[in-house]
Amino acid sequence: MNQWTPSARAVLQHYLDQHRTRFAADGAEAEEGIADLRDHVEREASSLNLSVVTESDVRRILAQVDPGL
């Protein structure tokens, strides 16, 4: 398991909060979509073997998940 910096967690949470409404508007279960996205980002960070996940790591992963960022 890797450690996340507070700023990395904050960036991920901010992104998820912004997209909660979008998921709901698309007819998806918003909380399920948020949980899936959080899991995806956490798994990706883990697969990169990062001992510490930084804000820039999260932004890079999110850019791969959502190229419109």
Side-chain angles (χ1 to χ4, degrees):
M1 180 160 220
N2 44 27
Q3 271 190 324
W4 285 56
T5 65
S7 62
R9 283 280 177 210
V11 165
L12 178 58
Q13 190 59 52
H14 180 72
Y15 177 86
L16 296 174
D17 290 343
Q18 285 184 316
H19 288 78
R20 182 173 273 111
T21 304
R22 184 186 83 186
F23 290 138
D26 288 344
E29 173 60 42
E31 293 309 313
E32 186 177 325
I34 294 297
D36 288 348
L37 186 53
R38 180 187 307 278
D39 288 345
H40 178 80
V41 171
E42 289 175 349
R43 280 193 313 272
E44 183 64 25
S46 183
S47 75
L48 292 171
N49 295 316
L50 302 169
S51 57
V52 176
V53 180
T54 66
E55 180 180 338
S56 18
D57 295 323
V58 172
R59 290 184 188 282
R60 185 173 60 250
I61 293 167
L62 287 172
Q64 292 171 349
V65 171
D66 185 357
L69 282 176

